[in-house]
Amino acid sequence: MGKVIPKQEGLDHSVDFLREGYLFVANRRKSFQSNIFETRLLGERVICLGGEDAAALFYDADKFTRQDAAPKRLLKTLFGEDGVQTLNGTAHTHRKRMFMSLMTKENIDRLLRLTDREWKRIRHAGEEIVLYDEAQQVLMKAVCEWAGVPLARDEVAKRTDEMRLLFESGTSLGPTYLQGRKARSSAEAWIRQMVKEVRSNRLLPNKQTALYEFSWHRDESGELLPEEVVAVEVLNILRPTVAISVYVLFTVLALHQFPRERAQVKQGQLSKTAFVQEVRRFYPFFPVAAARVKTDFEWDGYTFTEGTLTLLDLYGTNHDSAIWAEPDQFNPARFMDWKESPFNFIPQGGGDVDFGHRCAGEHVTIAILEQVIELFTEEFSYTVPPQDLSYSFVDMPSLPKSKLRLTDVK
Ligand code: HEM
Protein backbone atom coordinates (compact mmCIF):
# COMPACT_ATOMS: atom_id res chain seq x y z
CA MET A 1 0.00 0.00 0.00
CA GLY A 2 1.38 3.42 -0.95
CA LYS A 3 1.08 6.55 1.14
CA VAL A 4 -2.10 8.63 1.04
CA ILE A 5 -1.75 12.09 -0.52
CA PRO A 6 -2.87 14.74 2.03
CA LYS A 7 -6.24 15.95 0.81
CA GLN A 8 -8.15 19.19 1.17
CA GLU A 9 -11.72 18.12 1.84
CA GLY A 10 -14.67 19.86 0.12
CA LEU A 11 -16.39 19.91 -3.25
CA ASP A 12 -14.37 22.64 -4.93
CA HIS A 13 -11.70 25.19 -3.99
CA SER A 14 -11.60 27.38 -7.10
CA VAL A 15 -12.89 30.31 -5.05
CA ASP A 16 -10.04 29.84 -2.56
CA PHE A 17 -7.60 29.83 -5.46
CA LEU A 18 -8.98 33.16 -6.68
CA ARG A 19 -8.97 34.54 -3.13
CA GLU A 20 -5.44 33.42 -2.20
CA GLY A 21 -3.80 33.72 -5.62
CA TYR A 22 -0.04 33.24 -5.56
CA LEU A 23 -0.18 31.86 -2.01
CA PHE A 24 -2.85 29.18 -2.59
CA VAL A 25 -0.45 26.28 -3.03
CA ALA A 26 2.18 27.54 -0.57
CA ASN A 27 -0.44 28.06 2.17
CA ARG A 28 -1.60 24.45 1.87
CA ARG A 29 1.92 23.04 1.61
CA LYS A 30 2.54 24.79 4.90
CA SER A 31 -0.64 23.66 6.64
CA PHE A 32 -0.25 20.03 5.45
CA GLN A 33 3.54 20.19 6.05
CA SER A 34 3.83 18.45 2.70
CA ASN A 35 5.18 19.22 -0.77
CA ILE A 36 2.29 17.27 -2.25
CA PHE A 37 -1.43 17.56 -1.58
CA GLU A 38 -4.69 17.02 -3.36
CA THR A 39 -7.52 19.52 -3.89
CA ARG A 40 -10.41 20.13 -6.31
CA LEU A 41 -10.38 23.00 -8.80
CA LEU A 42 -13.00 23.75 -11.49
CA GLY A 43 -14.75 20.52 -10.54
CA GLU A 44 -11.66 18.37 -11.06
CA ARG A 45 -9.29 16.46 -8.76
CA VAL A 46 -5.91 18.21 -8.83
CA ILE A 47 -2.51 17.31 -7.34
CA CYS A 48 -0.40 20.28 -6.25
CA LEU A 49 3.38 19.97 -5.96
CA GLY A 50 6.09 22.29 -4.70
CA GLY A 51 9.82 22.30 -3.93
CA GLU A 52 12.93 21.21 -5.81
CA ASP A 53 12.36 17.42 -5.86
CA ALA A 54 8.76 17.86 -6.92
CA ALA A 55 9.87 20.22 -9.71
CA ALA A 56 12.27 17.53 -10.97
CA LEU A 57 9.35 15.10 -11.06
CA PHE A 58 7.03 17.56 -12.80
CA TYR A 59 9.52 18.19 -15.62
CA ASP A 60 10.06 14.46 -16.27
CA ALA A 61 8.50 14.13 -19.74
CA ASP A 62 8.01 10.37 -19.27
CA LYS A 63 5.65 11.08 -16.38
CA PHE A 64 3.77 14.23 -17.40
CA THR A 65 2.23 15.56 -20.59
CA ARG A 66 0.93 19.00 -21.56
CA GLN A 67 -1.98 17.46 -23.48
CA ASP A 68 -5.22 19.16 -22.31
CA ALA A 69 -3.40 20.65 -19.32
CA ALA A 70 -3.89 24.39 -19.91
CA PRO A 71 -7.45 25.60 -19.19
CA LYS A 72 -9.41 26.46 -22.36
CA ARG A 73 -9.77 30.07 -21.26
CA LEU A 74 -5.98 30.50 -21.25
CA LEU A 75 -5.69 28.97 -24.73
CA LYS A 76 -8.29 31.47 -25.97
CA THR A 77 -6.36 34.43 -24.57
CA LEU A 78 -2.82 34.01 -23.22
CA PHE A 79 -1.33 31.12 -25.22
CA GLY A 80 -3.38 30.59 -28.39
CA GLU A 81 -4.22 27.14 -29.72
CA ASP A 82 -1.73 24.51 -30.99
CA GLY A 83 1.34 26.44 -29.89
CA VAL A 84 4.56 25.00 -28.44
CA GLN A 85 3.12 25.02 -24.91
CA THR A 86 0.61 22.30 -25.82
CA LEU A 87 3.01 19.93 -27.66
CA ASN A 88 4.76 16.82 -26.36
CA GLY A 89 7.58 14.47 -27.37
CA THR A 90 9.32 14.91 -30.73
CA ALA A 91 6.73 17.41 -31.98
CA HIS A 92 7.60 19.61 -28.98
CA THR A 93 11.39 19.22 -29.28
CA HIS A 94 11.25 20.05 -32.96
CA ARG A 95 9.10 23.15 -32.46
CA LYS A 96 11.14 24.26 -29.47
CA ARG A 97 14.29 24.16 -31.60
CA MET A 98 12.60 26.67 -33.89
CA PHE A 99 12.31 29.08 -30.93
CA MET A 100 15.74 28.40 -29.52
CA SER A 101 17.40 29.02 -32.91
CA LEU A 102 16.56 32.72 -32.35
CA MET A 103 18.11 32.86 -28.90
CA THR A 104 21.78 33.15 -29.88
CA LYS A 105 23.98 35.73 -28.14
CA GLU A 106 24.26 37.69 -31.37
CA ASN A 107 20.51 37.82 -31.87
CA ILE A 108 19.79 38.75 -28.24
CA ASP A 109 22.37 41.56 -28.57
CA ARG A 110 20.46 42.78 -31.62
CA LEU A 111 17.28 42.95 -29.52
CA LEU A 112 19.15 44.84 -26.78
CA ARG A 113 20.32 47.47 -29.28
CA LEU A 114 16.69 47.98 -30.31
CA THR A 115 15.36 48.23 -26.74
CA ASP A 116 18.22 50.60 -25.83
CA ARG A 117 17.28 52.86 -28.74
CA GLU A 118 13.59 52.87 -27.77
CA TRP A 119 14.30 53.52 -24.07
CA LYS A 120 16.42 56.52 -25.00
CA ARG A 121 13.58 57.94 -27.06
CA ILE A 122 11.22 58.08 -24.09
CA ARG A 123 13.46 60.54 -22.28
CA HIS A 124 11.88 63.17 -24.47
CA ALA A 125 8.38 61.90 -23.79
CA GLY A 126 7.53 64.57 -21.23
CA GLU A 127 7.56 65.39 -17.56
CA GLU A 128 5.53 62.56 -16.08
CA ILE A 129 5.34 59.02 -17.36
CA VAL A 130 3.45 55.90 -16.36
CA LEU A 131 6.26 53.37 -16.58
CA TYR A 132 4.00 50.38 -17.30
CA ASP A 133 2.62 52.04 -20.46
CA GLU A 134 5.98 53.39 -21.62
CA ALA A 135 7.78 50.09 -21.08
CA GLN A 136 5.16 48.24 -23.09
CA GLN A 137 5.54 50.52 -26.08
CA VAL A 138 9.34 50.39 -25.84
CA LEU A 139 9.28 46.59 -25.77
CA MET A 140 6.62 46.29 -28.47
CA LYS A 141 8.43 48.56 -30.94
CA ALA A 142 11.74 46.81 -30.29
CA VAL A 143 10.42 43.25 -30.43
CA CYS A 144 8.40 43.86 -33.61
CA GLU A 145 11.51 45.12 -35.36
CA TRP A 146 13.49 42.19 -33.91
CA ALA A 147 10.86 39.72 -35.10
CA GLY A 148 10.63 41.20 -38.62
CA VAL A 149 7.05 42.32 -37.99
CA PRO A 150 6.25 45.70 -39.60
CA LEU A 151 4.54 47.98 -37.08
CA ALA A 152 3.27 51.29 -38.45
CA ARG A 153 3.56 54.28 -36.13
CA ASP A 154 -0.21 54.76 -35.97
CA GLU A 155 -0.66 51.10 -35.00
CA VAL A 156 1.70 51.06 -32.03
CA ALA A 157 -0.89 51.92 -29.35
CA LYS A 158 -3.52 49.48 -30.64
CA ARG A 159 -1.19 46.51 -31.11
CA THR A 160 0.60 47.11 -27.81
CA ASP A 161 -2.74 47.15 -26.06
CA GLU A 162 -3.65 43.84 -27.67
CA MET A 163 -0.47 42.24 -26.31
CA ARG A 164 -1.28 43.60 -22.84
CA LEU A 165 -4.79 42.17 -22.99
CA LEU A 166 -3.45 38.75 -23.98
CA PHE A 167 -1.45 38.42 -20.78
CA GLU A 168 -3.76 40.41 -18.48
CA SER A 169 -7.09 38.84 -19.37
CA GLY A 170 -6.59 35.07 -18.95
CA THR A 171 -7.58 34.91 -15.30
CA SER A 172 -10.14 37.74 -15.47
CA LEU A 173 -13.86 37.28 -15.45
CA GLY A 174 -16.44 39.24 -17.45
CA PRO A 175 -15.59 42.06 -19.86
CA THR A 176 -11.78 41.91 -19.56
CA TYR A 177 -11.80 38.22 -20.53
CA LEU A 178 -13.94 39.02 -23.59
CA GLN A 179 -11.60 41.87 -24.54
CA GLY A 180 -8.75 39.36 -24.27
CA ARG A 181 -10.46 36.97 -26.70
CA LYS A 182 -11.08 39.82 -29.12
CA ALA A 183 -7.44 40.89 -28.84
CA ARG A 184 -6.33 37.35 -29.67
CA SER A 185 -8.49 37.12 -32.83
CA SER A 186 -7.35 40.54 -33.97
CA ALA A 187 -3.64 39.93 -33.29
CA GLU A 188 -3.69 36.48 -34.92
CA ALA A 189 -5.40 37.88 -38.03
CA TRP A 190 -2.77 40.66 -38.18
CA ILE A 191 0.16 38.22 -38.13
CA ARG A 192 -1.58 35.63 -40.34
CA GLN A 193 -1.84 38.22 -43.09
CA MET A 194 1.92 38.80 -42.85
CA VAL A 195 2.65 35.07 -43.07
CA LYS A 196 0.66 34.97 -46.34
CA GLU A 197 2.73 37.88 -47.65
CA VAL A 198 6.01 36.27 -46.63
CA ARG A 199 5.04 33.02 -48.31
CA SER A 200 4.14 34.85 -51.52
CA ASN A 201 7.37 36.91 -51.39
CA ARG A 202 5.50 40.19 -50.94
CA LEU A 203 7.08 40.73 -47.54
CA LEU A 204 10.76 39.90 -47.07
CA PRO A 205 11.82 39.85 -43.41
CA ASN A 206 15.49 39.14 -42.65
CA LYS A 207 16.71 35.69 -41.69
CA GLN A 208 17.00 35.15 -37.93
CA THR A 209 13.74 37.02 -37.36
CA ALA A 210 10.77 35.12 -35.92
CA LEU A 211 8.52 36.04 -38.86
CA TYR A 212 11.01 34.67 -41.41
CA GLU A 213 12.11 31.57 -39.49
CA PHE A 214 8.62 30.55 -38.35
CA SER A 215 6.98 31.17 -41.75
CA TRP A 216 9.50 28.86 -43.42
CA HIS A 217 9.88 26.35 -40.58
CA ARG A 218 9.12 22.72 -41.50
CA ASP A 219 7.63 20.41 -38.89
CA GLU A 220 9.02 16.95 -38.13
CA SER A 221 7.28 15.54 -41.20
CA GLY A 222 8.68 18.22 -43.48
CA GLU A 223 5.49 20.31 -43.77
CA LEU A 224 5.20 24.08 -43.39
CA LEU A 225 3.15 25.03 -40.32
CA PRO A 226 -0.45 26.19 -40.87
CA GLU A 227 -0.62 30.01 -41.10
CA GLU A 228 -2.59 30.25 -37.88
CA VAL A 229 0.01 28.24 -35.98
CA VAL A 230 2.78 30.52 -37.29
CA ALA A 231 0.70 33.46 -36.02
CA VAL A 232 0.32 31.84 -32.57
CA GLU A 233 4.08 31.21 -32.40
CA VAL A 234 5.09 34.71 -33.55
CA LEU A 235 2.76 36.02 -30.84
CA ASN A 236 4.60 33.65 -28.46
CA ILE A 237 7.57 35.98 -29.07
CA LEU A 238 5.81 39.37 -29.12
CA ARG A 239 3.41 38.90 -26.17
CA PRO A 240 5.85 37.66 -23.52
CA THR A 241 8.43 40.26 -24.52
CA VAL A 242 5.83 42.98 -23.90
CA ALA A 243 4.99 41.18 -20.63
CA ILE A 244 8.55 41.85 -19.46
CA SER A 245 7.02 45.28 -18.65
CA VAL A 246 5.69 43.65 -15.47
CA TYR A 247 9.23 42.80 -14.38
CA VAL A 248 10.43 46.25 -15.51
CA LEU A 249 8.04 47.72 -12.93
CA PHE A 250 9.23 45.36 -10.22
CA THR A 251 12.88 46.06 -11.09
CA VAL A 252 12.42 49.84 -10.87
CA LEU A 253 10.28 49.37 -7.75
CA ALA A 254 13.07 47.32 -6.16
CA LEU A 255 15.65 49.99 -7.04
CA HIS A 256 13.36 52.42 -5.21
CA GLN A 257 12.47 50.23 -2.23
CA PHE A 258 15.97 48.91 -1.62
CA PRO A 259 18.32 51.92 -1.89
CA ARG A 260 21.20 50.09 -0.17
CA GLU A 261 21.19 47.33 -2.81
CA ARG A 262 20.80 49.95 -5.53
CA ALA A 263 23.93 51.69 -4.27
CA GLN A 264 25.78 48.36 -4.17
CA VAL A 265 24.90 47.76 -7.83
CA LYS A 266 26.06 51.24 -8.78
CA GLN A 267 29.35 50.71 -6.94
CA GLY A 268 29.86 47.30 -8.53
CA GLN A 269 29.68 45.34 -5.23
CA LEU A 270 26.57 43.61 -6.48
CA SER A 271 26.13 42.41 -10.05
CA LYS A 272 23.17 43.47 -12.13
CA THR A 273 22.50 39.80 -12.79
CA ALA A 274 22.18 39.08 -9.07
CA PHE A 275 19.73 41.98 -8.70
CA VAL A 276 17.65 40.77 -11.65
CA GLN A 277 17.60 37.19 -10.35
CA GLU A 278 16.37 38.38 -6.96
CA VAL A 279 13.63 40.45 -8.64
CA ARG A 280 12.52 37.33 -10.52
CA ARG A 281 12.61 35.26 -7.33
CA PHE A 282 11.02 37.76 -4.97
CA TYR A 283 8.09 39.32 -6.84
CA PRO A 284 5.04 37.36 -8.01
CA PHE A 285 4.49 36.71 -11.71
CA PHE A 286 3.58 33.18 -12.88
CA PRO A 287 1.89 31.34 -10.00
CA VAL A 288 1.94 27.73 -11.26
CA ALA A 289 2.64 25.52 -14.28
CA ALA A 290 0.14 22.80 -15.28
CA ALA A 291 0.52 19.29 -16.72
CA ARG A 292 -1.32 15.93 -16.66
CA VAL A 293 -0.06 12.54 -15.47
CA LYS A 294 0.96 10.62 -18.61
CA THR A 295 0.77 7.08 -17.22
CA ASP A 296 0.27 5.68 -13.71
CA PHE A 297 3.40 5.80 -11.55
CA GLU A 298 4.57 5.95 -7.94
CA TRP A 299 6.73 8.70 -6.48
CA ASP A 300 7.93 8.82 -2.89
CA GLY A 301 5.29 6.20 -2.05
CA TYR A 302 2.41 8.24 -3.55
CA THR A 303 0.35 6.96 -6.47
CA PHE A 304 -0.22 9.23 -9.49
CA THR A 305 -3.03 8.16 -11.80
CA GLU A 306 -3.06 8.77 -15.56
CA GLY A 307 -4.84 11.97 -16.57
CA THR A 308 -4.68 13.71 -13.18
CA LEU A 309 -4.19 17.45 -13.52
CA THR A 310 -1.05 18.49 -11.63
CA LEU A 311 0.13 21.98 -10.72
CA LEU A 312 3.68 22.95 -9.83
CA ASP A 313 4.05 25.85 -7.39
CA LEU A 314 6.43 28.23 -9.19
CA TYR A 315 5.99 31.19 -6.85
CA GLY A 316 6.10 29.04 -3.72
CA THR A 317 9.20 27.11 -4.82
CA ASN A 318 10.99 30.44 -5.20
CA HIS A 319 10.02 31.20 -1.59
CA ASP A 320 10.69 27.74 -0.20
CA SER A 321 12.71 27.87 3.02
CA ALA A 322 14.22 24.46 2.20
CA ILE A 323 15.97 26.16 -0.75
CA TRP A 324 16.28 29.84 0.27
CA ALA A 325 17.49 31.30 3.56
CA GLU A 326 15.02 33.98 4.71
CA PRO A 327 12.98 33.67 1.53
CA ASP A 328 10.84 36.73 2.28
CA GLN A 329 13.85 39.07 2.45
CA PHE A 330 14.92 40.88 -0.72
CA ASN A 331 18.58 39.97 -0.81
CA PRO A 332 20.26 39.95 -4.26
CA ALA A 333 23.61 39.00 -2.66
CA ARG A 334 22.26 35.46 -2.27
CA PHE A 335 22.79 35.09 -6.03
CA MET A 336 26.46 36.11 -5.89
CA ASP A 337 27.51 32.71 -4.58
CA TRP A 338 24.79 30.40 -5.62
CA LYS A 339 24.48 26.82 -6.83
CA GLU A 340 21.90 26.65 -9.54
CA SER A 341 20.11 23.43 -10.37
CA PRO A 342 17.52 23.08 -13.15
CA PHE A 343 14.84 22.82 -10.46
CA ASN A 344 15.75 25.13 -7.55
CA PHE A 345 14.87 28.49 -9.15
CA ILE A 346 11.87 28.39 -11.44
CA PRO A 347 10.18 31.78 -12.03
CA GLN A 348 9.99 30.91 -15.74
CA GLY A 349 9.63 27.16 -15.32
CA GLY A 350 12.31 24.51 -14.66
CA GLY A 351 14.15 21.64 -16.28
CA ASP A 352 15.89 21.73 -19.64
CA VAL A 353 15.03 24.57 -21.99
CA ASP A 354 15.67 22.60 -25.21
CA PHE A 355 13.92 19.38 -24.29
CA GLY A 356 11.28 20.54 -21.82
CA HIS A 357 8.77 23.35 -21.42
CA ARG A 358 11.06 25.76 -19.61
CA CYS A 359 10.62 29.33 -20.90
CA ALA A 360 12.34 30.00 -24.22
CA GLY A 361 12.79 33.66 -23.30
CA GLU A 362 14.59 33.45 -19.96
CA HIS A 363 17.91 34.84 -21.27
CA VAL A 364 16.09 37.56 -23.17
CA THR A 365 14.22 38.52 -20.00
CA ILE A 366 17.38 38.65 -17.88
CA ALA A 367 19.27 40.66 -20.52
CA ILE A 368 16.48 43.21 -20.93
CA LEU A 369 16.20 43.68 -17.17
CA GLU A 370 19.97 44.10 -16.75
CA GLN A 371 19.74 46.83 -19.35
CA VAL A 372 16.86 48.43 -17.42
CA ILE A 373 19.06 48.52 -14.30
CA GLU A 374 21.89 50.10 -16.28
CA LEU A 375 19.56 52.76 -17.74
CA PHE A 376 17.72 53.52 -14.50
CA THR A 377 20.87 53.75 -12.38
CA GLU A 378 23.30 55.35 -14.83
CA GLU A 379 21.47 57.09 -17.67
CA PHE A 380 18.15 58.42 -16.42
CA SER A 381 17.36 60.63 -13.52
CA TYR A 382 13.79 60.59 -12.23
CA THR A 383 11.63 61.07 -9.16
CA VAL A 384 9.19 58.56 -7.75
CA PRO A 385 6.38 60.82 -6.46
CA PRO A 386 4.03 59.65 -3.65
CA GLN A 387 1.70 56.99 -5.06
CA ASP A 388 0.22 53.60 -4.19
CA LEU A 389 3.11 51.20 -4.79
CA SER A 390 1.44 48.24 -3.10
CA TYR A 391 0.89 45.09 -5.13
CA SER A 392 -1.55 42.27 -4.73
CA PHE A 393 -0.90 38.58 -4.17
CA VAL A 394 -4.22 37.82 -5.83
CA ASP A 395 -4.34 39.74 -9.13
CA MET A 396 -2.57 37.94 -11.98
CA PRO A 397 -0.34 39.37 -13.15
CA SER A 398 0.36 41.37 -10.02
CA LEU A 399 1.57 44.97 -10.48
CA PRO A 400 2.24 48.00 -8.29
CA LYS A 401 -1.22 49.63 -8.12
CA SER A 402 -0.10 52.98 -9.55
CA LYS A 403 1.66 51.25 -12.49
CA LEU A 404 4.65 53.30 -11.36
CA ARG A 405 4.42 57.01 -12.15
CA LEU A 406 7.77 58.74 -12.59
CA THR A 407 8.31 62.51 -12.77
CA ASP A 408 11.25 64.74 -13.79
CA VAL A 409 12.43 62.02 -16.18
CA LYS A 410 15.63 63.18 -17.87
C1 HEM B 1 8.03 38.31 -18.81
C2 HEM B 1 8.81 37.42 -18.33
C3 HEM B 1 8.50 35.98 -18.59
C4 HEM B 1 7.97 35.09 -17.71
C5 HEM B 1 7.60 35.34 -16.25
C6 HEM B 1 7.84 33.84 -18.42
C7 HEM B 1 7.37 32.67 -17.86
C8 HEM B 1 7.20 31.49 -18.52
C9 HEM B 1 6.68 30.28 -17.93
C10 HEM B 1 6.29 30.10 -16.47
C11 HEM B 1 6.62 29.35 -18.91
C12 HEM B 1 6.04 27.95 -18.79
C13 HEM B 1 6.92 26.94 -18.18
C14 HEM B 1 6.23 25.60 -18.16
O1 HEM B 1 5.16 25.42 -18.76
O2 HEM B 1 6.74 24.65 -17.54
C15 HEM B 1 7.08 29.97 -20.12
C16 HEM B 1 7.14 29.34 -21.34
C17 HEM B 1 7.47 29.99 -22.51
N1 HEM B 1 7.97 31.26 -22.64
FE1 HEM B 1 8.24 32.59 -21.18
N2 HEM B 1 8.27 33.99 -19.71
C18 HEM B 1 8.69 35.29 -19.85
C19 HEM B 1 9.26 35.86 -20.99
C20 HEM B 1 9.35 35.23 -22.19
C21 HEM B 1 9.92 35.81 -23.37
C22 HEM B 1 10.58 37.19 -23.43
C23 HEM B 1 9.75 34.93 -24.40
C24 HEM B 1 10.15 35.00 -25.83
C25 HEM B 1 10.87 35.96 -26.37
C26 HEM B 1 9.08 33.76 -23.83
C27 HEM B 1 8.71 32.64 -24.53
C28 HEM B 1 8.20 31.50 -23.97
C29 HEM B 1 7.82 30.32 -24.74
C30 HEM B 1 7.91 30.15 -26.24
C31 HEM B 1 7.37 29.36 -23.81
C32 HEM B 1 6.86 27.96 -24.11
C33 HEM B 1 7.97 26.97 -23.92
C34 HEM B 1 7.55 25.52 -24.11
O3 HEM B 1 6.37 25.18 -23.91
O4 HEM B 1 8.42 24.71 -24.45
N3 HEM B 1 8.86 33.99 -22.50
N4 HEM B 1 7.44 31.28 -19.87
Side-chain angles (χ1 to χ4, degrees):
M1 254 311 257
K3 294 193 278 188
V4 177
I5 299 177
K7 180 171 170 187
Q8 185 181 24
E9 295 300 338
L11 281 180
D12 198 86
H13 297 283
S14 309
V15 172
D16 298 333
F17 194 103
L18 290 177
R19 206 180 287 142
E20 294 170 52
Y22 291 96
L23 301 173
F24 175 87
V25 182
N27 286 345
R28 281 156 191 74
R29 283 169 61 204
K30 203 176 251 172
S31 57
F32 285 122
Q33 284 296 301
S34 170
N35 280 331
I36 174 168
F37 69 89
E38 184 184 320
T39 184
R40 290 187 72 83
L41 296 171
L42 299 173
E44 187 174 359
R45 175 174 174 253
V46 179
I47 292 179
C48 296
L49 297 172
E52 185 170 358
D53 294 345
L57 172 72
F58 181 86
Y59 283 102
D60 180 341
D62 292 335
K63 298 204 165 60
F64 287 94
T65 162
R66 298 306 174 105
Q67 187 109 36
D68 300 322
K72 262 271 174 272
R73 60 170 23 248
L74 288 189
L75 294 176
K76 298 275 183 201
T77 51
L78 182 68
F79 297 135
E81 285 170 274
D82 302 324
V84 63
Q85 294 93 341
T86 64
L87 300 179
N88 298 289
T90 19
H92 174 260
T93 322
H94 196 84
R95 186 82 62 84
K96 191 67 174 282
R97 208 173 297 142
M98 172 184 92
F99 278 90
M100 298 317 293
S101 73
L102 299 176
M103 305 300 174
T104 58
K105 172 153 187 345
E106 210 183 3
N107 219 21
I108 295 178
D109 284 346
R110 184 166 66 82
L111 176 60
L112 289 177
R113 285 195 294 277
L114 295 168
T115 48
D116 185 65
R117 184 188 74 193
E118 294 302 331
W119 276 119
K120 286 175 177 162
R121 286 184 178 159
I122 73 151
R123 276 195 286 182
H124 312 289
E127 281 289 284
E128 176 172 318
I129 64 168
V130 175
L131 186 60
Y132 193 47
D133 303 341
E134 293 291 341
Q136 283 177 5
Q137 293 210 2
V138 163
L139 293 164
M140 182 65 172
K141 288 185 216 165
V143 75
C144 281
E145 189 164 340
W146 189 62
V149 167
L151 179 67
R153 196 185 285 237
D154 61 359
E155 260 189 327
V156 173
K158 172 183 167 185
R159 297 301 177 188
T160 307
D161 217 43
E162 284 178 356
M163 296 308 114
R164 178 184 63 76
L165 278 164
L166 295 183
F167 65 81
E168 279 190 353
S169 65
T171 55
S172 309
L173 304 166
T176 312
Y177 173 65
L178 294 177
Q179 282 178 325
R181 288 191 60 152
K182 243 176 87 187
R184 172 145 294 277
S185 320
S186 167
E188 284 186 11
W190 175 53
I191 304 291
R192 227 173 27 235
Q193 179 57 32
M194 282 174 212
V195 178
K196 273 197 207 337
E197 292 176 20
V198 172
R199 288 182 173 173
S200 57
N201 294 317
R202 281 175 289 147
L203 180 63
L204 300 168
N206 289 332
K207 287 190 175 176
Q208 280 285 292
T209 61
L211 186 60
Y212 178 92
E213 300 295 341
F214 296 5
S215 294
W216 296 118
H217 173 80
R218 294 197 175 261
D219 69 12
E220 64 283 13
S221 29
E223 301 291 329
L224 290 176
L225 299 175
E227 279 163 17
E228 51 278 16
V229 174
V230 178
V232 164
E233 301 298 36
V234 171
L235 292 174
N236 266 333
I237 295 285
L238 306 190
R239 179 205 67 248
T241 305
V242 174
I244 297 175
S245 56
V246 173
Y247 273 152
V248 170
L249 287 207
F250 283 132
T251 301
V252 176
L253 179 68
L255 289 171
H256 176 68
Q257 287 184 322
F258 304 103
R260 196 176 59 132
E261 284 72 15
R262 177 198 175 107
Q264 288 171 343
V265 171
K266 260 183 92 85
Q267 289 152 12
Q269 293 151 304
L270 200 56
S271 72
K272 293 186 189 77
T273 312
F275 198 95
V276 167
Q277 296 297 51
E278 184 67 344
V279 166
R280 296 194 313 132
R281 188 195 69 81
F282 185 75
Y283 293 101
F285 198 157
F286 253 75
V288 293
R292 284 190 189 272
V293 177
K294 197 168 165 187
T295 46
D296 294 2
F297 66 86
E298 275 215 2
W299 176 74
D300 198 21
Y302 298 109
T303 302
F304 287 68
T305 326
E306 183 177 337
T308 309
L309 184 61
T310 305
L311 303 181
L312 174 67
D313 188 9
L314 301 183
Y315 176 80
T317 302
N318 293 332
H319 290 257
D320 187 333
S321 55
I323 306 176
W324 309 100
E326 300 188 81
D328 296 323
Q329 297 279 323
F330 184 87
N331 175 21
R334 69 172 86 241
F335 282 99
M336 296 294 280
D337 169 28
W338 169 60
K339 290 214 171 24
E340 181 173 9
S341 91
F343 307 107
N344 65 0
F345 178 48
I346 53 174
Q348 295 178 223
D352 187 275
V353 69
D354 296 305
F355 295 98
H357 285 275
R358 191 182 191 117
C359 177
E362 204 162 6
H363 290 299
V364 167
T365 307
I366 294 169
I368 285 184
L369 295 174
E370 286 172 356
Q371 183 182 60
V372 163
I373 294 181
E374 168 81 24
L375 291 168
F376 282 77
T377 56
E378 303 293 341
E379 292 264 341
F380 298 165
S381 70
Y382 56 93
T383 307
V384 182
Q387 58 190 294
D388 185 354
L389 292 172
S390 69
Y391 55 92
S392 152
F393 283 91
V394 178
D395 301 341
M396 289 173 195
S398 174
L399 288 177
K401 288 266 179 328
S402 63
K403 301 186 178 172
L404 211 39
R405 284 187 299 111
L406 303 178
T407 53
D408 311 318
V409 183
K410 291 196 195 78

